[in-house]
Amino acid sequence: MVDISAAPPAPTGTTTDALVELRGVDKHFGALHVLQNIDLTVRRGEVVVIIGPSGSGKSTLCRTINRLETIDSGTIVLDGVPLPAEGRALARLRADVGMVFQSFNLFAHKTVLDNVVLGQVKAKGVKPAKAKEIALALLDRVGVRNQADKLPAQLSGGQQQRVAIARALAMQPKVMLFDEPTSALDPEMINEVLDVMVGLAKDGMTMIVVTHEMGFARRAANRVVFMDGGQIVEESDPETFFTAPKSERARDFLSKILTH
Amino acid sequence: MDDGYFQQFLSLFDEFDVPAAFWVNIQLTFFAGILALILGTVLATMRISPVPSLRWAGSTYVTLLRNTPLTIIMVFCVLGLWGQLGVTLSPDFQTNFFRLAVVGLTVYHAAFVCEALRSGVNTVPVGQAEAARAIGLSFWPAARLIILPQAFRGSVAPLGNVLIALTKNSTVAAAASVAEASGLMRTMIEFRPDVILAIFLTFAFGFVLIVVPIGLATTALSRRLAVAR
Ligand SMILES: Nc1ncnc2c1ncn2[C@@H]1O[C@H](COP(=O)(O)OP(=O)(O)OP(=O)(O)O)[C@@H](O)[C@H]1O
Ligand SMILES: [Mg+2]
């Protein structure tokens, strides 16, 4: 039996319920203060949706959590362990954080199957036969097993994104980050990806999702975090956020995306 | 031109072994090509590495070697490496010069291979490296498994141009006393100035015959290997 459940692995760090903890995180791009004193705690099994206007720092926040971006000050703790600065420890820790990109970023010269096998074998030392078994089970789960031998460019956007989710899951991450996973997709493909994500959430995966898909937020999120100008302006449960936002900035933002 | 001219010209091939001389150029190109590809890949990896000192060493090498005339590098290999420093790559006199010439061609063209590969690296979207890092690959595995394979496939055409330049530049090995085609041409002209035009055309045509297929092959290959995105 291959265990492909998304149930989070047993805690390895402290006994607290917090899986991802950002404390006083600051980040500049030159003179631009993109993340301003960010405090955010994501509990084990929680699904957090990050929403906010373009340029508010959502992607940057996501990317700091697996250190694709460095931070200027503050701390980021993952399952009780502070993010290492560089080297092998960082690479190992990155494998614990699954990342799904807006533009899929599947390895263009590798087949779908190899995309899902590669990280397991090269970063985690899983035996190739075992890795292939796990990969096929995961591709089955996201509904693209019959595409296993194709190259990414031969797949539709929705299929590619589901492969990207399978690739991230293959590393058995503790938390999954999604940066606008459906905004590069044609409308008819958005739901096939969101359905996979909702399934993951139901299985107990800890998820941080940057998205403007309110349907997803309502169906799957425990919490909505609203960002603007590099700050977290407001946090609440999805229903409250969408029906009765507290801040003027959130109201303003929602009125804009709702009229579209 | 009377009938005798053509006879005169043909008799050259009895006196001088033209194919053997071209064969030396092909061998020089072959060995220097493989070695330059290896060294150039190492240099390109250094230039994209996260280690500043490696990046500096890589770019310094490229700047120095790319801007030095090949003839000077070749003369240095013979007079400097062998004559002054006593570097001997083979006990056999001829083989030694051949190998020194291969070294000269290699170190020079590796700089161009490096730049061709770097142009290939630029065809690989930054998202590929980010995805590799995100699944926990550190720099070297990410470069070896994800970036360089795509960079090679994206730089077949510029690498083909380097190979064409190398084929023609192999004539500079004459400066290292290697008996190759251009050297033979000079000898033949010296002995048979009466058919100088025919001699010149023979050698020009010989190189065209070698170089044109390389160009056709690399163009076809670059289309076939292009990474679909
Ligand atoms: N590598 C970079 N260098 C300089 N500035 C950057 C860089 N990446 C992002 N920025 C800037 O930082 C700010 C925040 O960017 P970020 O991508 O995090 O916003 P976002 O909330 O994800 O926006 P969007 O909804 O458009 O994706 C923007 O003003 C952006 O222009
Ligand atoms: Mg973004």
Side-chain angles (χ1 to χ4, degrees):
Chain A
M1 243 282 302
V2 183
D3 176 26
I4 55 159
S5 75
T12 54
T14 56
T15 53
T16 71
D17 214 21
L19 185 58
V20 182
E21 253 189 294
L22 289 85
R23 289 279 159 268
V25 169
D26 274 288
K27 161 98 189 159
H28 293 79
F29 280 123
L32 189 66
H33 200 172
V34 274
L35 295 180
Q36 303 179 15
N37 194 29
I38 298 285
D39 289 315
L40 180 68
T41 304
V42 179
R43 294 188 307 277
R44 208 174 297 283
E46 196 179 18
V47 176
V48 172
V49 160
I50 300 177
I51 198 166
S54 181
S56 55
K58 308 179 297 293
S59 296
T60 309
L61 178 64
C62 236
R63 292 161 57 86
T64 58
I65 295 173
N66 69 351
R67 227 173 208 291
L68 285 178
E69 300 286 354
T70 56
I71 56 176
D72 299 337
S73 59
T75 53
I76 299 176
V77 176
L78 188 79
D79 205 5
V81 185
L83 277 195
E86 278 305 327
R88 296 185 72 87
L90 177 62
R92 211 171 307 126
L93 186 129
R94 279 207 182 107
D96 284 344
V97 182
M99 177 119 189
V100 175
F101 301 86
Q102 180 176 352
S103 49
F104 329 133
N105 294 347
L106 292 178
F107 303 133
H109 63 310
K110 298 272 183 195
T111 63
V112 163
L113 181 63
D114 286 343
N115 263 274
V116 187
V117 164
L118 188 123
Q120 301 183 64
V121 174
K122 302 295 178 180
K124 288 193 100 173
V126 178
K127 293 263 184 303
K130 176 78 178 165
K132 187 177 167 188
E133 197 183 332
I134 293 172
L136 286 171
L138 282 167
L139 289 174
D140 199 27
R141 180 174 172 192
V142 299
V144 288
R145 185 179 174 141
N146 54 352
Q147 314 286 330
D149 296 323
K150 291 193 181 163
L151 286 170
Q154 296 171 291
L155 270 56
S156 74
Q159 290 171 327
Q160 288 191 54
Q161 194 61 299
R162 286 183 283 151
V163 174
I165 293 173
R167 176 176 69 180
L169 287 176
M171 305 310 289
Q172 299 187 297
K174 292 173 179 167
V175 53
M176 288 276 284
L177 309 174
F178 295 81
D179 187 6
E180 304 207 29
T182 58
S183 54
L185 296 177
D186 292 336
E188 72 271 18
M189 293 170 189
I190 290 176
N191 278 329
E192 66 189 49
V193 172
L194 290 180
D195 287 345
V196 169
M197 290 167 61
V198 170
L200 269 181
K202 292 229 163 77
D203 288 344
M205 175 59 80
T206 310
M207 295 162 64
I208 299 174
V209 185
V210 178
T211 185
H212 291 169
E213 293 292 334
M214 283 191 295
F216 173 80
R218 284 203 154 105
R219 266 161 86 198
N222 302 103
R223 189 154 44 116
V224 173
V225 170
F226 174 70
M227 283 185 77
D228 191 16
Q231 295 168 322
I232 293 181
V233 176
E234 180 169 346
E235 294 184 51
S236 50
D237 66 275
E239 215 42 54
T240 313
F241 179 77
F242 290 117
T243 53
K246 291 187 283 277
S247 63
E248 183 57 43
R249 285 199 272 182
R251 268 197 296 279
D252 192 44
F253 172 73
L254 283 173
S255 73
K256 278 181 194 138
I257 64 167
L258 288 175
T259 50
H260 278 151
Chain B
M1 268 184 237
D2 53 61
D3 284 355
Y5 189 89
F6 195 62
Q7 292 301 323
Q8 296 281 320
F9 169 62
L10 280 184
S11 72
L12 279 175
F13 289 88
D14 300 330
E15 282 176 62
F16 302 97
D17 196 347
V18 177
F22 272 107
W23 180 237
V24 173
N25 288 81
I26 291 172
Q27 284 176 301
L28 285 166
T29 305
F30 179 78
F31 291 115
I34 287 176
L35 293 173
L37 190 61
I38 294 168
L39 181 56
T41 306
V42 172
L43 289 167
T45 312
M46 286 166 73
R47 292 202 70 175
I48 61 170
S49 88
V51 185
S53 58
L54 286 182
R55 280 205 302 274
W56 180 85
S59 69
T60 304
Y61 179 99
V62 170
T63 308
L64 280 181
L65 272 289
R66 199 171 54 163
N67 294 307
T68 308
L70 178 57
T71 317
I72 289 177
I73 293 173
M74 201 59 86
V75 168
F76 173 80
C77 280
V78 174
L79 297 182
L81 282 186
W82 176 72
Q84 194 76 42
L85 302 172
V87 176
T88 311
L89 299 177
S90 167
D92 176 60
F93 207 65
Q94 284 295 319
T95 315
N96 187 37
F97 279 164
F98 177 86
R99 289 184 182 170
L100 286 168
V102 168
V103 168
L105 289 168
T106 298
V107 296
Y108 178 74
H109 289 91
F112 292 89
V113 168
C114 172
E115 291 310 277
L117 274 178
R118 254 177 19 116
S119 77
V121 169
N122 289 335
T123 68
V124 183
V126 62
Q128 296 285 305
E130 291 190 342
R133 283 154 74 197
I135 59 168
L137 297 178
S138 43
F139 169 75
W140 174 237
R144 187 169 54 87
L145 299 165
I146 308 299
I147 309 303
L148 287 176
Q150 295 187 54
F152 271 113
R153 294 170 56 161
S155 55
V156 173
L159 284 174
N161 289 338
V162 176
L163 184 59
I164 287 171
L166 169 59
T167 309
K168 296 186 285 184
N169 287 343
S170 67
T171 53
V172 178
S177 317
V178 174
E180 51 68 65
S182 76
L184 182 65
M185 180 176 98
R186 214 165 300 148
T187 312
M188 286 166 74
I189 289 172
E190 224 168 276
F191 280 89
R192 300 293 302 275
D194 52 322
V195 285
I196 181 166
L197 185 66
I199 292 171
F200 166 76
L201 288 176
T202 302
F203 281 90
F205 182 69
F207 275 102
V208 168
L209 216 59
I210 298 172
V211 168
V212 166
I214 295 176
L216 292 176
T218 51
T219 306
L221 205 61
S222 92
R223 267 195 219 114
R224 260 196 50 196
L225 291 182
V227 180
R229 301 199 188 278

